[in-house]
């Protein structure tokens, strides 16, 4: 039995608020599946599961503030889930009484006859039973007269199995087979009639169903934004006619009753203040504990912008690239070539990252910023990286990030060029050891082969941890970025 605990979603996180469960007890979860929505001081994040198995028990109710490391749920093995249906009445197997047939019941030959098509010319009743359902074919009549006449409903074991699996009561059917016998077609028509009469069940999280009941919201009218279009609690609150009242929160026992407490509704002003406090604490610690060194250089962007203009001229509007895509790809490829800057400083030593997971600083509309990761950015083609960047920024600003996206970054890039800034020196996000900054692409006088002209250039900076590297390593990194931007076909 494994524990699903409150994860650490960044160096600045000590506790988080469990907003919503995306799964329920008995659900099968796989490693990497989002199972809960956690609110931190900086963002709302979908947290993935780190185990594969069956969710057996939820230990914490939504709306509870939980310290990092506190158990939130219990996850059993997949074999336990497989054993549950067997112990719950074995619904998919024929009923035990069918194993012993009474005299006069169907013989083995008759069973085989039901399994294969009849080769002789069928009679009227058999023809009706064997013909496929059509619009003109009547749905079997729901009647108890046949059961009353015969004392029990005549049906073969395969038909009974199908009826049980489809949720059809054989005693309510009027069979169209020989002697009133219920056929497979009768069961299929009855099951289709039930499905038509009953609207499909809307996929929604447990908290969303509870909120919909409390707020009087019809889930069928709500557009879901969760996985597989599932309705989440935020969707229900948005669809509610008035302001959504916070549901009552009950603190579940999780072995640490004193550390878990219900959270009050957080006004936007308080949330912004909490984000500023989190950023202040982390940046203060970074400036105090990390010996920064800074490098800066100006890079020729003429070849990159020419290639970009030609690419966008030949591409549909939806596949056009921004200069940021070229800068991010160059930063990622350079980090792969200079791995000393791609990783973490922990336990007084440097640990290289497993892949280049490029953190991208994103400013939030309400103030503050987050730096979610573009996983394996060095392996993405430019159109894929552009699409991933758009998706990441959108989800960051709507509070739909994944836990791995806020905790896996191996090196971070900040780009303030769209704000008119030409040079930016950032503060390293611990436990990373480097942060790259890009400014605005501007036209400047530039000498090439002894001739002076005007060319587009960009200023790139590097903030690095002196404990992990020296200035020579940082200079090698910036030189590689400049080389890649002069050869955009290599990006």
């Amino acid at each position: 039995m494994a524990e699903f605990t409150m994860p650490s979603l960044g160096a600045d996180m000590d506790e988080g608020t469990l907003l919503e469960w995306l799964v329920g007890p008995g659900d099968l979860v796989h490693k990497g599946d989002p199972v809960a929505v956690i609110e931190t001081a900086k963002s709302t994040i979908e947290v993935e599961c780190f185990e594969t198995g069956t969710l057996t028990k939820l230990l914490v109710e939504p709306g509870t503030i939980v310290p990092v490391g506190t158990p939130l749920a219990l996850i059993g093995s997949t074999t336990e889930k497989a054993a549950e249906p067997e112990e719950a009445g074995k619904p998919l197997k024929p009923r035990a009484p069918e194993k012993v047939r009474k005299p006069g019941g169907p013989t083995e030959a008759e069973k085989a006859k039901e399994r294969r098509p009849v080769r002789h010319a069928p009679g009227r009743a058999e023809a009706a039973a064997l013909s496929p359902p059509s619009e003109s074919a009547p749905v079997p009549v729901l009647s108890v007269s046949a059961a009353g006449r015969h004392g029990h409903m005549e049906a073969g074991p395969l038909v009974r199995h199908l009826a049980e699996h489809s949720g059809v009561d054989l005693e309510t059917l009027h069979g169209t087979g020989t002697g009133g016998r219920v056929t497979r077609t009768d069961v299929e028509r009855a099951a289709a009639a039930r499905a038509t009469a009953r609207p499909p069940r809307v996929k929604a999280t447990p908290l969303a169903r509870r909120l919909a009941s409390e707020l009087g919201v019809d889930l069928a009218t709500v557009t879901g934004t969760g996985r597989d279009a599932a309705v989440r609690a935020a969707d229900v609150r948005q669809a509610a006619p008035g302001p959504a009242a916070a549901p009552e929160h009950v603190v579940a026992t999780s072995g640490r009753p004193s550390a878990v407490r219900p959270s009050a509704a957080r006004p936007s002003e308080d949330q912004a203040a909490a984000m500023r406090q989190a950023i202040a604490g982390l940046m203060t610690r970074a400036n105090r504990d990390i010996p920064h060194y800074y490098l800066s250089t100006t890079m020729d962007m003429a070849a990159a912008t020419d290639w970009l203009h030609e690419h966008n001229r030949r591409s549909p509007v939806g596949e056009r690239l921004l200069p940021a895509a070229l800068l991010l790809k160059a930063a990622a490829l350079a980090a792969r070539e200079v791995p000393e800057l791609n990783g973490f400083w922990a336990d007084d030593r440097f640990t290289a990252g497993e892949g280049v997971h490029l953190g991208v600083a994103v400013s939030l509309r309400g103030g503050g910023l987050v730096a979610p990761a573009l996983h394996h950015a060095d392996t993405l083609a430019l159109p894929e990286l552009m699409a991933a960047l758009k998706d990441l920024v959108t989800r960051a600003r709507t509070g739909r990030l994944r836990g791995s996206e806020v905790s896996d970054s191996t090196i971070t890039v900040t780009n303030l060029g769209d704000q008119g800034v030409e040079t930016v020196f950032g503060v390293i996000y611990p436990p990373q050891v480097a942060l790259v900054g890009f400014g605005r692409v501007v036209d400047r006088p530039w000498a090439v082969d002894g001739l002076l002209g005007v060319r587009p250039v960009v200023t790139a900076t590097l903030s690095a941890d002196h404990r992990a590297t020296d200035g020579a390593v940082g200079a090698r990194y910036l030189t590689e970025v400049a080389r890649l931007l002069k050869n955009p076909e290599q990006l």
Side-chain angles (χ1 to χ4, degrees):
M1 187 75 66
E3 290 183 340
F4 173 67
T5 61
M6 173 66 76
S8 176
L9 303 174
D12 54 344
M13 177 179 171
D14 297 321
E15 61 184 17
T17 303
L18 175 65
L19 290 185
E20 181 180 2
W21 284 109
L22 303 180
V23 293
D27 289 349
L28 179 64
V29 295
H30 298 85
K31 184 177 180 180
D33 288 349
V35 296
V37 179
I38 303 294
E39 182 187 45
T40 68
K42 297 176 67 175
S43 182
T44 301
I45 300 164
E46 291 183 352
V47 179
E48 299 102 323
C49 182
F50 298 102
E51 302 282 345
T52 296
T54 304
L55 192 70
T56 58
K57 186 177 182 181
L58 302 179
L59 302 178
V60 176
E61 288 287 328
T64 308
I65 298 176
V66 183
V68 170
T70 302
L72 303 179
L74 299 178
I75 300 176
S77 62
T78 54
T79 55
E80 294 180 9
K81 182 178 186 302
E84 289 176 3
E86 298 293 332
E87 298 170 0
K90 303 181 181 179
L92 298 181
K93 292 185 178 181
R95 296 179 181 176
E98 296 297 331
K99 296 180 180 179
V100 181
R101 303 298 302 176
K102 296 180 180 181
T107 63
E108 291 298 326
E110 291 174 334
K111 295 178 183 179
K113 186 177 179 181
E114 286 185 6
R115 298 191 188 100
R116 64 177 182 270
V118 180
R119 299 185 181 275
H120 65 275
R124 290 184 180 177
E126 292 175 350
L130 294 173
S131 61
S134 62
E135 294 183 0
S136 59
V139 176
V141 179
L142 301 181
S143 171
V144 296
S145 58
R149 288 194 306 267
H150 297 285
H152 67 281
M153 180 53 61
E154 289 291 341
L158 294 181
V159 174
R160 290 187 181 275
H161 170 70
L162 178 62
E164 186 173 0
H165 186 64
S166 304
V168 175
D169 185 4
L170 288 176
E171 300 298 331
T172 64
L173 295 185
H174 178 72
T176 60
T178 305
R181 187 179 182 84
V182 176
T183 66
R184 178 173 181 171
T185 303
D186 298 333
V187 176
E188 289 175 345
R189 288 177 181 169
R194 285 167 52 89
T196 303
R198 182 179 57 215
R201 179 178 173 86
V202 177
K203 189 171 183 180
T205 65
L207 179 58
R209 293 189 184 280
R210 188 171 69 184
L211 276 179
S213 176
E214 294 175 356
L215 301 176
V217 175
D218 183 5
L219 288 176
T221 64
V222 180
T223 301
T225 61
R227 188 177 60 173
D228 298 332
V231 177
R232 297 172 44 182
D235 303 327
V236 176
R237 293 190 184 99
Q238 186 174 2
E248 296 181 0
H249 302 307
V250 181
V251 180
T253 303
S254 61
R256 304 184 190 183
S258 60
V260 180
R261 63 186 188 278
S263 81
R266 182 182 294 177
S268 58
E269 296 82 1
D270 293 346
Q271 190 170 4
M275 177 177 289
R276 291 304 338 158
Q277 290 178 355
I279 295 174
L282 182 64
M283 295 297 99
T284 299
R285 179 157 63 91
N287 266 320
R288 181 184 66 238
D289 297 342
I290 300 177
H292 287 62
Y293 69 87
Y294 304 96
L295 302 176
S296 173
T297 187
T298 302
M299 301 178 181
D300 185 0
M301 288 286 290
T305 53
D306 290 345
W307 182 92
L308 186 65
H309 292 158
E310 180 62 21
H311 175 276
N312 288 343
R313 185 182 67 81
R314 293 182 285 102
S315 302
V317 175
E319 297 179 8
R320 293 177 182 175
L321 304 177
L322 296 176
L326 301 182
L327 298 176
L328 291 176
K329 184 63 180 292
L333 290 175
R336 186 174 68 185
E337 294 299 320
V338 188
E340 296 91 336
L341 294 174
N342 184 64
F344 314 97
W345 183 266
D347 300 326
D348 293 328
R349 67 185 185 90
F350 173 75
T351 302
E354 296 180 357
V356 179
H357 305 316
L358 201 65
V360 181
V362 178
S363 61
L364 304 179
R365 295 188 177 93
L369 78 161
V370 292
L374 284 171
H375 289 102
H376 303 287
D378 58 320
T379 65
L380 298 177
L382 282 172
E384 295 175 344
L385 189 145
M386 190 71 227
L389 177 63
K390 290 180 180 178
D391 174 68
L392 194 69
V393 172
T394 299
R395 289 190 292 108
R397 289 174 174 167
T398 55
R400 296 180 56 199
L401 291 173
R402 298 282 184 87
S404 58
E405 292 169 337
V406 297
S407 59
D408 287 352
S409 299
T410 56
I411 184 172
T412 297
V413 175
T414 180
N415 184 353
L416 293 178
D418 59 339
Q419 303 294 322
V421 174
E422 294 188 17
T423 306
V424 53
F425 290 94
V427 180
I428 299 171
Y429 188 93
Q432 299 169 34
V433 297
L435 183 141
V436 185
F438 290 107
R440 182 166 61 101
V441 178
V442 295
D443 291 335
R444 290 284 184 268
W446 195 265
V448 178
D449 297 330
L451 298 177
L452 186 63
V454 176
R455 299 171 75 89
V457 297
V458 67
T459 300
T461 63
L462 176 70
S463 306
D465 189 339
H466 226 321
R467 297 173 299 179
T469 61
D470 297 321
V473 175
R476 183 154 53 92
Y477 175 85
L478 290 179
T479 300
E480 180 64 16
V481 173
R483 185 191 70 80
L484 290 168
L485 291 176
K486 288 181 179 178
N487 301 274
E489 65 278 356
Q490 298 182 13
L491 297 176

